[in-house]
Amino acid sequence: MHDAIERAIRTGNRYDVEYRVIQPTGEVRTVHSRGEVKRDSSGRPYRMFGSAQDITERKRTEQRIMAQHRVTEVLAEADTLEAAAPRLLQALCECLVWDLGALWYTNRPAGALRCVGFWRRASVEVPQFEAATRGAIFEAAYSLPGTVWLSREPVYFADFGRESDFPRASIALAEGLRAASGFPILLAGEVSGVIEFFGRETRPPGPDLFNMMSAIDSQVGQFIERKR
């Protein structure tokens, strides 16, 4: 936003930009702002006017539609869950503004979960957390994805490293990961997998995040059933 205003002052062009506002509660709002700079007879800027509109709900709707569309495309082109996982996680993280994601597959006889997919933004360097996640196997009894598996319900942490003592919590704290969430992939009433997300910002979940992820997890569950 500051860059847009500086360019408007320097060039005389109108500005039209979207930016995020993080409120004291951690909630992220999206604002659309546009305006222009007025100049006096000598060409010096002396007044700026414009408008700012909260478009958070519209952006959430757009993100939900885009996420579901991209997930449908990924699953339609994939042969296995492992092959689909990186693109699936990328689509969800980019659309829903998470920094990284992992997909876990349940092994009921062993009572454990195995990480079958991992994705992170190129700008997010978390080598220890990535090493502790890729290919990892966690017992269902004590881990973030295990909690989702046993409860069959989504879980959310505004500050994962400080609010839990699960495996990887101390690593997440050390490498700057804050918000975390996990969602069950349900198949015939059983949890066949878990999708988890992490982000650098502390933020509450959006009001429709759980409903949207429930629909997407259902898509993934149907994909697993078809492949079986």
Side-chain angles (χ1 to χ4, degrees):
M1 183 60 194
H2 289 304
D3 290 344
I5 291 174
E6 288 175 0
R7 284 194 300 271
I9 293 173
R10 186 174 63 253
T11 66
N13 297 330
R14 291 173 57 88
Y15 66 86
D16 190 326
V17 66
E18 291 182 7
Y19 59 95
R20 298 184 308 151
V21 175
I22 304 176
Q23 298 182 327
T25 60
E27 182 179 6
V28 179
R29 309 296 293 183
T30 305
V31 177
H32 178 209
S33 180
R34 53 183 157 186
E36 61 182 301
V37 177
K38 290 294 185 181
R39 300 178 181 273
D40 60 22
S41 56
S42 66
R44 291 186 305 175
Y46 74 96
R47 179 182 298 167
M48 176 181 291
F49 71 94
S51 63
Q53 179 184 10
D54 187 328
I55 59 170
T56 305
E57 301 309 320
R58 191 189 82 194
K59 293 294 290 186
R60 284 174 177 164
T61 299
E62 292 174 355
Q63 290 169 344
R64 181 174 65 249
I65 293 172
M66 179 61 71
Q68 291 173 324
H69 174 70
R70 290 183 60 183
V71 166
T72 300
E73 285 186 332
V74 170
L75 296 180
E77 298 171 357
D79 293 324
T80 66
L81 182 62
E82 287 83 351
R87 291 182 58 208
L88 176 68
L89 293 168
Q90 179 180 0
L92 291 172
C93 288
E94 289 179 346
C95 291
L96 305 179
V97 198
W98 290 96
D99 290 318
L100 64 88
L103 194 152
W104 300 81
Y105 196 71
T106 58
N107 184 331
R108 292 191 188 93
L113 300 103
R114 177 172 61 91
C115 180
V116 297
F118 184 91
W119 182 88
R120 63 172 175 81
R121 296 182 187 276
S123 60
V124 177
E125 295 290 341
V126 285
Q128 294 184 54
F129 189 87
E130 183 170 349
T133 303
R134 282 188 181 274
I137 297 176
F138 287 154
E139 293 184 1
Y142 193 69
S143 64
L144 189 156
T147 298
V148 176
W149 182 8
L150 295 179
S151 68
R152 303 184 185 185
E153 297 288 341
V155 298
Y156 178 83
F157 295 93
D159 198 337
F160 177 68
R162 290 186 170 87
E163 294 178 2
S164 81
D165 56 356
F166 287 145
R168 302 176 297 161
S170 60
I171 301 174
L173 182 62
E175 296 193 324
L177 295 174
R178 307 292 295 279
S181 59
F183 301 89
I185 300 172
L186 293 171
L187 178 61
E190 297 293 332
V191 177
S192 58
V194 174
I195 298 176
E196 63 178 10
F197 302 110
F198 292 86
R200 289 191 176 278
E201 296 173 353
T202 301
R203 57 176 181 174
D208 59 349
L209 176 62
F210 292 150
N211 290 335
M212 187 205 68
M213 282 303 302
S214 176
I216 288 176
D217 291 334
S218 177
Q219 285 181 268
V220 179
Q222 292 169 19
F223 169 82
I224 294 172
E225 184 174 26
R226 287 197 306 272
K227 295 306 176 182
R228 283 178 175 172

